[in-house]
Every structure is written in C-alpha cells, then in structure tokens.
Amino acid sequence: MRHNLSPIAGLSLLAAATLCAADRRVHFLPQLQPGQTITYLIRFQSDKTVKTESKVIAPMVPNTAQIDAHGLLRVEILGVQQTSTMPAIHARGQFLTLDAGGWIKGPNDKKLNGEQRVDPEGKTIEFTISPDGSVSEVKGLDSLFPEQQQAWQQWVARFALAWALPPNGMKSGEKWKSEQAEQSSTPIAGLQWARDSIYVRDEPCQASQLSRMGDVSPASGPSDTCAVLLTTAKLKQNSSSKDATPEDFKLHELRTTGTARGTNEIITYVSLKSGLVVRATEETTQFMDVVVAKTDGSNRVHFNVDAKSHAQVLLVTETPLNQP
C-alpha cells in the first residue's frame, strides 16, 4: 500500500535530516602523502613604530621597521608518521623565483648590478610538525632573508591550524577556547594570547592561480567546499607592570616595567575534501609602554611600541612556473 506523507510530516523529516547534517563532526587534518608538493602565495605587511626617551644607547630596544613582502612557497612532504593522536609531518620548503626574481620583496630592496635580489638556488628550509602541533627540527631558517623568514612563519602558523583544533572534531556553530604564549621575544614577561574560536559555517571556495604578471584569480576546475573558522584573541599580561622582567633580560642585569596589549583576528577557509588551508587572513595590533633599566635603576630607557600587521595565505594550484 502506498502512503503519501502529509506536508507537516515531510517538513519534520526534512528538519531532522538538516539537524543530523549540522550535528556531523568534521576533522580537518590535511590528507598528505610523501612526495606530495603544495604551493602557497604569502603576503605579509607590518608597520612597527618605536618612540624612545633615553640618554643612553640601548641595544635591546626594538627598532622601527616596515615590511611589505610577498612570495611563493613550495612545500614538499618528505614523510608522514602516524601516531595514536595526530600525525607528524616532515617537510621541506623553498621560495620560488617568478619573473626575474619576483619571489619576495620589501620596500628597502635595491637592485644589485641591474638585477633584483633573488633567493640563492637550492636554499631550503626543513621542518617537522609534531603531533602536538609544535614546529620542531627547523633547519635552514636562519639562512633565509628576513622577509622570507616572516613569510614562512606566517604560512606554517596557518598550515598547522588543524593540530590545534579539538581532537574529537567539530560541528558547524561550535565554539572553543585556547591560550598560547607570545612567541616573539619581548621586554614584557608573561604575555599570553587568549583565543576564542568558532566554526562559523561552510562556504563554496576555490584555490587560486597566479599569472605571469602576479595577478591572482580562482583556479580552473571544480569548486570546493570549505569550513570557515574565525578566531579572535586578546593579549593578556600575566606579569606585574611593576616588574615585568623576562629571564633573558635578567641575564643582562636589566629590569623592565610596563604594560602590553594587543588584538588578533584570523579567518581561515579549510577544504572539507583535502583538509588543506585554502586561504587565510590575519590582522594583528600590539602596543607596549615599557621602561628598561639596569637592576640598580640607572640607564633608564622609556619606549612605546605601536605595531600592526596583515598577512594573507593562499593555496595556489597553478603558477607560471608550472606552465610550459
């Protein structure tokens, strides 16, 4: 006997199916194989202003600096070691040349002998992403140009996102919290980023292709679906403003006082098919008001640091280097 569902019953079944789909937990570990290569376009801009009040020379005070760099990073997966928790990834990265040395550049770059500065042939960086998400066994980073080092650090932080996510997977709309110590060396001890994250929704997404002129456009081929993850963070200071001295400053018989604050926002698109980060953007602001002095109170240096940065990472499937 054939039964026809009433409109109300049909809607109820549809709602149940939708809820089941929304309740599905997703794991975002990238599906990587030894010998696999992936390419990312990295853009990084930063502007750091330092105002100093001092009657002495203070070598440990940060310098005013501006960086406006971009580059293509090709990563070869050398090994994947499965563990009971997360896999360990061993990889090698190299910045690529493009159109007469347009691999990466900053505003202070100058032409040498009529040619743009380029990355020496064969210079690479090897590294391991451990099961706990930390980056270890890094070799070759110090041999790269400063702009390359910044670009690689931005890329690996975004690429290793999956290792920092809840291990039991996530579902759309789920929120989670995490904390991470400030990675760079600062005159303020005990700085910690308190992060709030949310799996916002799923959206259509597409990897990118790069023209010989450096223009970015969606890659050819079928579109993908990405999970959109949003992370906002605030910089907390766990040390006292009256004595914020880090251990490395104590070794130089220095004492610091002052405060630091900052905000950070990261939007990441992760492919539900491959687990690869398809694109990510990061906006960061930081401010410090610090006094550095000898432990006896002499040679005082007062400085303010105001820093802003913007970073973008794009998965590139087609580049002029891949074209005949």
Side-chain angles (χ1 to χ4, degrees):
M1 180 179 296
R2 183 177 179 180
H3 297 277
N4 291 323
L5 291 174
S6 68
I8 293 178
L11 288 174
S12 298
L13 289 176
L14 179 60
T18 303
L19 287 173
C20 289
D23 196 52
R24 178 174 56 91
R25 305 193 74 84
V26 181
H27 295 267
F28 294 110
L29 280 174
Q31 301 171 19
L32 301 171
Q33 300 293 331
Q36 180 180 353
T37 60
I38 49 179
T39 304
Y40 279 88
L41 174 64
I42 308 162
R43 293 168 171 165
F44 180 72
Q45 296 173 308
S46 69
D47 188 351
K48 181 171 65 176
T49 302
V50 182
K51 297 180 180 179
T52 306
E53 297 177 9
S54 172
K55 296 181 180 179
V56 299
I57 298 175
M60 300 191 74
V61 173
N63 297 320
T64 294
Q66 288 184 327
I67 296 177
D68 185 357
H70 65 272
L72 276 175
L73 177 68
R74 175 170 290 171
V75 178
E76 179 185 0
I77 306 302
L78 301 178
V80 179
Q81 180 181 358
Q82 299 295 335
T83 69
S84 58
T85 55
M86 297 283 194
I89 306 297
H90 185 55
R92 177 171 55 229
Q94 183 175 23
F95 283 97
L96 307 178
T97 58
L98 175 65
D99 289 342
W103 58 271
I104 192 164
K105 61 183 179 180
N108 297 323
D109 282 351
K110 296 180 180 179
K111 291 184 178 181
L112 301 176
N113 299 325
E115 295 183 358
Q116 191 79 1
R117 186 179 71 174
V118 298
D119 184 25
E121 184 179 356
K123 185 178 291 187
T124 61
I125 175 172
E126 289 195 22
F127 58 95
T128 296
I129 300 177
S130 303
D132 64 358
S134 62
V135 181
S136 60
E137 301 178 17
V138 180
K139 301 177 182 178
L141 181 62
D142 293 342
S143 66
L144 301 181
F145 296 128
E147 295 92 341
Q148 287 178 312
Q149 296 180 26
Q150 290 275 6
W152 179 82
Q153 290 167 352
Q154 285 294 326
W155 170 80
V156 78
R158 303 286 73 77
F159 185 79
L161 169 70
W163 281 261
L165 297 178
N168 60 339
M170 295 179 298
K171 59 184 179 180
S172 182
E174 186 171 353
K175 300 178 181 180
W176 68 99
K177 295 179 179 291
S178 62
E179 290 193 351
Q180 182 182 31
E182 169 62 34
Q183 300 298 304
S184 60
S185 177
T186 72
I188 300 291
L191 295 183
Q192 195 89 4
W193 287 99
R195 303 185 186 277
D196 291 298
S197 302
I198 181 173
Y199 179 172
V200 182
R201 59 182 175 271
D202 295 339
E203 284 188 9
C205 61
Q206 193 85 356
S208 301
Q209 63 180 1
L210 193 64
S211 73
R212 292 186 180 276
M213 299 302 294
D215 297 322
V216 178
S217 61
S220 58
S223 62
D224 200 349
T225 301
C226 284
V228 183
L229 309 179
L230 170 65
T231 297
T232 57
K234 289 187 177 181
L235 188 64
K236 300 190 304 181
Q237 180 176 337
N238 296 324
S239 59
S240 169
S241 61
K242 296 180 180 180
D243 186 0
T245 313
E247 290 300 321
D248 55 342
F249 276 64
K250 292 179 181 179
L251 293 175
H252 290 82
E253 298 183 348
L254 298 172
R255 184 173 184 270
T256 68
T257 59
T259 58
R261 62 180 184 270
T263 60
N264 175 268
E265 180 182 274
I266 304 171
I267 302 174
T268 310
Y269 287 73
V270 183
S271 168
L272 295 178
K273 181 179 179 180
S274 67
L276 291 174
V277 172
V278 173
R279 69 176 184 268
T281 58
E282 179 178 10
E283 302 282 349
T284 303
T285 62
Q286 287 183 263
F287 178 80
M288 285 193 297
D289 184 356
V290 183
V291 173
V292 180
K294 299 288 289 184
T295 51
D296 61 6
S298 63
N299 295 350
R300 290 167 55 89
V301 181
H302 181 198
F303 63 92
N304 293 322
V305 179
D306 192 355
K308 298 179 180 180
S309 68
H310 168 80
Q312 184 180 45
V313 172
L314 297 173
L315 176 65
V316 177
T317 60
E318 300 174 38
T319 73
L321 297 175
N322 296 331
Q323 300 169 4

